[in-house]
Amino acid sequence: MVVRIGTAGWSIPQQFADRVPGEGTHLQRYAQQLNAAEINSSFHRPHRPSTYARWAEAVPVDFRFAVKLPKAITHKAKLVDCDGLLAAFAGEVAGLGDKRGPLLVQLPPSFAFPGDLAARFFDSLDRLLGGQVVIEPRHASWYVPEVDALLTARRIARVLADPPVPEAAHAPGGWRGLTYIRLHGAPRVYWSSYDDARLAALAKRIAAGAGDVWTIFDNTASGAALGNALDLTELL
């Protein structure tokens, strides 16, 4: 069992600067305290392989980056005929080398399960990029036994999200060799901090689990994510 805790990005808000001491870039300081980060900027724009390589070189050997698939794939193409886009993305993230963790596939709330198209896309994703994959679908049609079986067969984990969209996203699904928890902040998404009781319950759940567990705090708008991640690390 490997437990990884981090935030979306690695910025260090002023209110937590004293908890992330040291010299160097924000990433270098961050990586001395936490063992994972989720790269969300890849969703919005491409990065050069040299940029990914620079990030990989800045962190310890046991640090890992999850990487979000570009919106050109998930939101514009909607998984259709994406081999060219996937190949280009593979070339970019190759710069991470063995520091690359799971690929995150986040889908629009309006995107219903597309049947055989999903299986073809996952096959292309495995062929062109390989590695672990987690998916955060936000339409209820993805939360049925048949889709869960499809994800399990392809060793794809379904995200446990908070707040859950739809409600079924409060629990992980798909392949259970990996649990990926994304905490967006509640009640105010991206802003609200998680209190001590919620973090303690989360720590207890992680400690009792099996398989690898990633916990990513995405409540970054207020800077709360880093404090929550550091608190959870201390609890564990």
Side-chain angles (χ1 to χ4, degrees):
M1 181 181 182
V2 176
V3 174
R4 296 195 179 278
I5 299 169
T7 66
W10 46 80
S11 63
I12 301 176
Q14 185 60 39
Q15 66 263 40
F16 299 118
D18 61 337
R19 298 182 65 183
V20 189
E23 299 180 351
T25 66
H26 277 209
L27 177 57
Q28 288 170 323
R29 292 166 58 195
Y30 171 103
Q32 295 303 314
Q33 305 299 323
L34 298 168
N35 64 357
E38 186 182 272
I39 299 173
N40 276 197
S41 56
S42 55
F43 176 76
H44 300 285
R45 62 186 184 278
H47 298 300
R48 296 176 180 176
S50 60
T51 299
Y52 284 107
R54 185 175 72 250
W55 291 338
E57 291 167 2
V59 299
V61 294
D62 62 343
F63 191 96
R64 295 292 182 272
F65 295 92
V67 192
K68 192 172 183 179
L69 254 63
K71 63 182 178 182
I73 295 171
T74 56
H75 287 56
K76 294 182 179 179
K78 295 188 176 180
L79 313 187
V80 177
D81 296 331
C82 290
D83 280 17
L85 293 169
L86 288 171
F89 188 59
E92 295 165 16
V93 300
L96 289 176
D98 59 8
K99 303 288 178 60
R100 200 195 93 188
L103 298 171
L104 170 63
V105 183
Q106 186 190 59
L107 300 174
S110 60
F111 187 17
F113 178 68
D116 291 343
L117 171 64
R120 292 195 297 272
F121 173 79
F122 293 141
D123 289 343
S124 293
L125 188 62
D126 182 58
R127 174 170 49 84
L128 294 168
L129 281 122
Q132 292 183 327
V133 176
V134 297
I135 187 168
E136 186 177 14
R138 291 178 287 175
H139 190 280
S141 60
W142 288 81
Y143 293 79
V144 297
E146 295 82 1
V147 177
D148 208 58
L150 170 71
L151 298 176
T152 301
R154 285 169 169 75
R155 296 171 68 89
I156 297 171
R158 195 187 69 225
V159 167
L160 183 165
D162 183 75
V165 179
E167 183 59 33
H170 75 279
W175 182 55
R176 299 311 308 276
L178 171 65
T179 299
Y180 199 97
I181 303 168
R182 298 192 83 220
L183 302 167
H184 301 293
R188 190 181 180 191
V189 176
Y190 305 126
W191 288 84
S192 294
S193 181
Y194 291 94
D195 61 24
D196 291 345
R198 182 66 183 275
L199 293 175
L202 180 59
K204 184 176 180 180
R205 177 174 189 162
I206 292 170
D212 295 347
V213 182
W214 280 63
T215 303
I216 296 294
F217 290 92
D218 191 29
N219 49 340
T220 55
S222 64
L226 181 59
N228 285 164
L230 293 169
D231 289 343
L232 180 61
T233 299
E234 291 175 1
L235 287 171
L236 285 165

